[in-house]
Amino acid sequence: EPEVTQTPSHQVTQMGQEVILRCVPISNHLYFYWYRQILGQKVEFLVSFYNNEISEKSEIFDDQFSVERPDGSNFTLKIRSTKLEDSAMYFCASSEELGQQETQYFGPGTRLLVL
Amino acid sequence: AQSVTQLGSHVSVSEGALVLLRCNYSSSVPPYLFWYVQYPNQGLQLLLKYTSAATLVKGINDFEAEFKKSETSFHLTKPSAHMSDAAEYFCAVSREGDDKIIFGKGTRLHILP
């Protein structure tokens, strides 16, 4: 069964460093998403992406964050200058179509720790 | 604004007993409602979803949930718990036209032998 994959599974970085989290969505999916979950808190929507541009983003997704689909298979989340409060589990998701009739399939997550 | 409240961050049931995980939502428009499950070291997997069709929704692994508008609830049930059901369960809400899903804090289900 096709699945969303994410790398790395864990990332430790120093405050102020740039990190890139990578995702490979399901191959025929057109819509891509990033969510995050700070330890002990809710899973929160960050951004959705379609046709090489952001379609919706949350207040969390400020100028420190960017997303890119650099090739036909990868979808990346970049945090330009990490802060301690960026420590969280980051989930990538993809869906075939837009709209909540369509299922979003989630990856296993990348646990980011900022020291 | 939409929101979801899951009652109980941890729930323990005996193997073979009824599973009941509670979820209440808040939405000013007709909601779409979801239950996701996360097994250890895995991603979020959709168990079931309500999208304004039948109010009783059946999902995978014998889970089901009933949409009750009068109670703004979408509780998840399973008649007989299995050891393999031990996981974290997330209730979530969305609406037509929104890309994002809004999640609850999650309930960790423990199955006692």
Side-chain angles (χ1 to χ4, degrees):
Chain A
E1 187 177 329
E3 57 183 17
V4 176
T5 59
Q6 291 184 243
T7 54
S9 57
H10 294 77
Q11 172 110 33
V12 180
T13 190
Q14 296 289 325
M15 190 170 59
Q17 295 295 304
E18 174 184 285
V19 294
I20 298 177
L21 309 184
R22 291 184 166 79
C23 169
V24 179
I26 294 173
S27 62
N28 65 328
H29 285 188
L30 301 176
Y31 298 85
F32 315 113
Y33 314 83
W34 283 101
Y35 291 78
R36 80 170 184 193
Q37 184 182 28
I38 294 172
L39 190 64
Q41 298 187 26
K42 300 181 180 186
V43 176
E44 302 171 291
F45 170 80
L46 291 178
V47 66
S48 59
F49 189 87
Y50 169 69
N51 201 25
N52 281 320
E53 59 183 34
I54 291 172
S55 58
E56 187 174 348
K57 61 181 181 179
S58 72
E59 292 173 355
I60 304 166
F61 195 88
D62 61 22
D63 292 343
Q64 293 298 316
F65 291 90
S66 62
V67 289
E68 192 179 25
R69 187 150 164 85
D71 54 43
S73 59
N74 289 283
F75 178 52
T76 62
L77 174 70
K78 183 192 292 187
I79 308 175
R80 191 175 323 144
S81 177
T82 50
K83 308 188 203 58
L84 295 177
E85 54 265 36
D86 294 327
S87 295
M89 179 75 93
Y90 288 80
F91 293 104
C92 173
S94 69
S95 64
E96 197 169 352
E97 299 282 344
L98 186 63
Q100 292 311 321
Q101 303 271 3
E102 298 299 321
T103 299
Q104 290 185 20
Y105 293 86
F106 284 76
T110 293
R111 186 169 293 284
L112 176 65
L113 178 61
V114 182
L115 301 176
Chain B
Q2 294 184 302
S3 66
V4 165
T5 302
Q6 290 184 243
L7 297 175
S9 57
H10 292 265
V11 169
S12 296
V13 301
S14 298
E15 191 175 16
L18 171 73
V19 175
L20 170 61
L21 304 182
R22 298 177 188 275
C23 172
N24 288 89
Y25 70 90
S26 171
S27 179
S28 57
V29 297
Y32 294 145
L33 293 159
F34 310 83
W35 276 98
Y36 280 84
V37 61
Q38 186 179 27
Y39 298 104
N41 300 316
Q42 294 187 29
L44 297 165
Q45 180 183 0
L46 183 69
L47 270 180
L48 49 81
K49 62 182 179 183
Y50 166 78
T51 55
S52 74
T55 56
L56 183 62
V57 182
K58 293 188 183 300
I60 61 173
N61 300 336
D62 294 329
F63 281 95
E64 61 182 37
E66 186 172 7
F67 171 68
K68 290 188 177 180
K69 186 177 177 182
S70 60
E71 298 177 10
T72 60
S73 69
F74 191 59
H75 302 330
L76 181 71
T77 60
K78 178 172 178 174
S80 177
H82 216 262
M83 294 301 290
S84 59
D85 294 326
E88 185 131 26
Y89 292 79
F90 295 92
C91 183
V93 64
S94 186
R95 62 185 177 186
E96 184 67 46
D98 252 357
D99 292 0
K100 62 182 177 292
I101 296 174
I102 296 167
F103 286 85
K105 282 187 124 177
T107 298
R108 187 165 293 279
L109 177 64
H110 305 271
I111 310 296
L112 308 172

